[in-house]
Amino acid sequence: MDFTRNSPPLNTASRIAELEQINAQLTAQIGTLTHQFGAEIVALKRQLEWFKRQLFGEKSEKPLGIDPAVQGNLLSALGVLAPPTQVPALSGQAIAYTRRAKVRDGAHTEAGLRFDATVPVETIEVLDPAIEAIPQAERERIGEKVTYRLAQRPGSYVVLKYVRVTWKHRDTGALLTPPAQANVLERCVADVSLLAGMLSDKFLYHLPLYRQHQRLLAGGLQLSRASLTTWAARAIDLLAPIYAAQCEHVLTSGVLAMDETPIKAGREKQGKMRQAYFWPIYGDSHEVVFHYAPNRSHTHAKRFLGTDFKGTLLTDGYEAYRSYARANPDITHAECWAHCRRYYERAQDTEPQAAREALALIGALYRHEQLIRERGLDGAQKLAYRTEHSEPIVRAFWAWCEAQCQRTDLVPSNPLAKALAYARERQGRLQVFLANPEVPIDTNHLERALRPIPCGRRNWLFCWSEIGAKHVGIVQSLIATCRLHGVDVYTYLVDVLQRVGTHPAKDVLDLTPRVWKTKFAHAPMKSDLAILTQ
């Protein structure tokens, strides 16, 4: 029998051997590349997932879908009692009431429309021809049915016409004319109501000036867009002394929170804007100021805080604040638990069990902070509560971190390893809130106050010049503080723009929103337009 037909040719056998050798070489090369770049590829994938979440995903840091029973079991297993699910009564007091559902003030309808007495209401009487055809003597009015609709008028502008009658004295022949009305901006056709509305629309409601200009054109008013920019800049210059006074007062606080947020300001080259920063500072009197700086250099922390501040500085983990605190022995540096928590939140995909345990411990701290707010604790009571309830959780957290660091399977590129390194490096600064009841657990209050800056970036995009960026910092400082103190921004701007020119310079602090609320808010200065429409 001939077997040569079924056996492969010699050249085919050599080809197979050659391919097997190539395959072995490629497999070895793939293994080498995987060993060399595998960690980098995993890190890039994590970074890509993070960017996708920022663009399309849930951005809230609140824990979603966590069963309180599961959290309690985790805390018990870690040696920490779970925080109470309900607010305990104060010692020596008994709660003798039940909390009712919140009732909003103002009128409302069955459709859910709610409004207060300041909202203008136009009444329309609905008539039926068939009913009107019935003689008046044959029908009797016994009641009425009322329904509401929410309507809108297009944004409108008004031109104020000032008429000054000229008289002639019959005996002397002298001409008598009333003096011209004083205006906030000299030789300017813009009324204070327009200036305040323009600043409110841009910086409170993020409506760029070019859109306001389009609305003016639609209303039949022919103005240059550059005029709006000039008017806004001149009005903000009037507010600059108030901003400076608020900056000085903020530095007298015992506890300051500080951060930085990016902004595009000034042209770096043709077609490209320069990357700059606002450095907001939040004082313990609920005042916030935005300082502009062309970069993120460490020197700006010292420049804005100065050498006179002596207290506690609460920040994120940026090295600039740490170097400033090291150079000033009178400064106590505290850091933010929310920033620490974010590192463990990012580790959920790779280390779900460990991340869940860390988040449960940090969540217990925040639950106790919520109870402190609900019970209205302050001073010594707040410190005693933190010592009794929060301090054991913090000790358990550090013990847990130490136990996790003993794991042999954690590599430095692992997100959990980065979270552990971040927390342990800042252990002392993260514990400052346990010794000082005035120190918040995080900088979330500051991040809420600086939110208008990133909101504005999505609307007016950038500042054409650095002077414009400084103007943004001035007006946003006053507007953000107004909102913190419940002051109506438009009413405040109308008043202070008229008052600042005659107010004593030594008392300029009275015009900051915090003080203005108590001294002038009961009888603010109004524009001529508001007086006419009363």
Side-chain angles (χ1 to χ4, degrees):
M1 181 178 287
D2 186 7
F3 293 98
T4 58
R5 181 174 298 181
N6 294 328
S7 60
L10 185 60
N11 59 348
T12 303
S14 61
R15 180 58 178 166
I16 292 174
E18 181 183 355
L19 291 176
E20 288 178 348
Q21 183 179 2
I22 294 174
N23 182 55
Q25 293 176 353
L26 290 176
T27 302
Q29 187 177 1
I30 291 173
T32 303
L33 293 175
T34 302
H35 178 73
Q36 183 177 359
F37 300 106
E40 183 177 355
I41 292 173
V42 172
L44 290 174
K45 286 182 177 179
R46 292 197 198 108
Q47 187 176 7
L48 178 61
E49 291 299 323
W50 183 85
F51 279 118
K52 286 182 178 179
R53 175 178 172 183
Q54 297 303 306
L55 288 173
F56 310 113
E58 178 64 49
K59 297 180 179 63
S60 174
E61 295 182 2
K62 295 180 180 179
L64 303 177
I66 296 180
D67 189 350
V70 174
Q71 184 183 28
N73 293 335
L74 281 172
L75 294 174
S76 300
L78 294 169
V80 180
L81 294 178
T85 57
Q86 298 198 1
V87 180
L90 291 171
S91 58
Q93 298 182 5
I95 298 178
Y97 64 89
T98 56
R99 189 177 298 277
R100 296 182 299 175
K102 183 178 180 180
V103 179
R104 293 185 175 92
D105 296 332
H108 65 278
T109 70
E110 66 280 357
L113 177 64
R114 297 177 177 87
F115 53 94
D116 57 31
T118 62
V119 179
V121 177
E122 301 288 348
T123 302
I124 300 176
E125 186 175 356
V126 181
L127 302 178
D128 187 345
I131 298 178
E132 294 300 316
I134 302 175
Q136 185 72 30
E138 297 181 10
R139 50 191 169 102
E140 177 184 0
R141 180 169 181 163
I142 60 173
E144 60 185 21
K145 296 182 178 180
V146 179
T147 56
Y148 295 95
R149 292 181 184 174
L150 181 60
Q152 179 183 0
R153 286 192 177 101
S156 59
Y157 297 89
V158 177
V159 175
L160 299 179
K161 180 180 179 181
Y162 292 90
V163 179
R164 296 181 292 147
V165 178
T166 302
W167 300 89
K168 180 179 180 181
H169 197 282
R170 291 181 178 177
D171 295 335
T172 63
L175 300 179
L176 306 175
T177 304
Q181 289 289 105
N183 198 7
V184 171
L185 302 180
E186 294 183 0
R187 304 182 66 180
C188 179
V189 299
D191 183 63
V192 65
S193 59
L194 178 69
L195 298 176
M198 185 168 55
L199 295 180
S200 298
D201 283 345
K202 176 169 182 178
F203 298 105
L204 181 60
Y205 302 111
H206 313 295
L207 186 66
L209 289 182
Y210 81 89
R211 295 181 189 166
Q212 297 187 44
H213 181 255
Q214 292 173 348
R215 193 167 62 181
L216 282 164
L217 294 179
L221 293 162
Q222 302 294 326
L223 284 173
S224 169
R225 187 186 300 178
S227 297
L228 299 185
T229 305
T230 302
W231 295 346
R234 291 179 63 186
I236 295 174
D237 284 336
L238 294 178
L239 301 174
I242 307 174
Y243 163 78
Q246 184 163 295
C247 289
E248 292 181 8
H249 183 264
V250 162
L251 294 181
T252 64
S253 302
V255 178
L256 286 182
M258 192 172 183
D259 202 350
E260 69 284 340
T261 184
I263 185 176
K264 299 291 185 181
R267 286 192 300 176
E268 184 174 358
K269 58 183 181 180
Q270 186 68 26
K272 184 176 181 180
M273 305 299 295
R274 180 182 293 109
Q275 179 69 71
Y277 287 86
F278 279 125
W279 295 66
I281 303 176
Y282 193 111
D284 53 17
S285 296
H286 299 294
E287 294 175 306
V288 61
V289 293
F290 292 90
H291 294 284
Y292 168 78
N295 52 51
R296 202 169 174 235
S297 171
H298 290 196
T299 59
H300 298 304
K302 179 180 179 180
R303 181 162 68 95
F304 297 137
L305 292 173
T307 57
D308 296 331
F309 171 64
K310 295 177 176 59
T312 301
L313 179 63
L314 176 64
T315 69
D316 57 15
Y318 185 34
E319 177 62 28
Y321 308 116
R322 197 184 319 175
S323 60
Y324 170 78
R326 281 197 300 263
N328 295 271
D330 295 327
I331 301 295
T332 301
H333 189 198
E335 290 203 20
C336 169
W337 275 93
H339 285 80
C340 178
R341 181 189 181 279
R342 290 170 191 169
Y343 280 83
Y344 291 98
E345 193 270 340
R346 295 169 191 164
Q348 290 186 96
D349 293 336
T350 55
E351 298 285 343
Q353 178 63 27
R356 187 160 58 248
E357 293 175 358
L359 295 177
L361 285 166
I362 299 175
L365 285 178
Y366 274 87
R367 177 57 179 152
H368 282 301
E369 291 298 309
Q370 180 182 358
L371 293 178
I372 289 173
R373 290 192 297 270
E374 292 175 353
R375 296 176 62 175
L377 300 182
D378 200 3
Q381 288 184 328
K382 184 176 181 179
L383 181 60
Y385 186 95
R386 282 179 171 176
T387 302
E388 180 181 357
H389 298 281
S390 300
E391 189 171 343
I393 299 175
V394 173
R395 287 199 301 266
F397 178 77
W398 298 128
W400 176 88
C401 289
E402 190 66 30
Q404 291 296 316
C405 289
Q406 305 305 317
R407 290 174 47 182
T408 58
D409 59 331
L410 277 182
V411 295
S413 61
N414 190 306
L416 179 61
K418 295 179 180 180
L420 292 170
Y422 181 93
R424 296 180 71 204
E425 184 183 0
R426 294 162 174 80
Q427 181 172 345
R429 295 185 290 277
L430 287 171
Q431 295 182 151
V432 173
F433 82 104
L434 295 174
N436 188 346
E438 304 304 323
V439 177
I441 195 174
D442 54 33
T443 59
N444 287 351
H445 58 299
L446 174 58
E447 294 193 2
R448 288 191 296 269
L450 66 81
R451 191 173 297 171
I453 299 300
C455 286
R457 288 199 304 260
R458 292 179 175 271
N459 292 273
W460 36 263
L461 302 179
F462 58 86
C463 296
W464 187 250
S465 66
E466 294 190 60
I467 295 177
K470 293 178 182 178
H471 283 160
V472 172
I474 292 172
V475 70
Q476 283 291 12
S477 299
L478 300 179
I479 289 179
T481 305
C482 280
R483 300 185 69 180
L484 290 172
H485 287 271
V487 173
D488 181 75
V489 173
Y490 178 82
T491 303
Y492 170 78
L493 291 176
V494 168
D495 179 274
V496 297
L497 284 173
Q498 297 179 90
R499 197 182 297 273
V500 68
T502 58
H503 195 77
K506 63 182 181 64
D507 297 328
V508 67
L509 188 65
D510 295 345
L511 300 184
T512 60
R514 176 184 60 88
V515 185
W516 181 91
K517 179 179 65 174
T518 60
K519 289 196 171 185
F520 304 113
H522 63 282
M525 298 180 69
K526 299 182 179 180
S527 66
D528 291 343
L529 178 61
I531 296 173
L532 285 175
T533 54
Q534 283 182 345

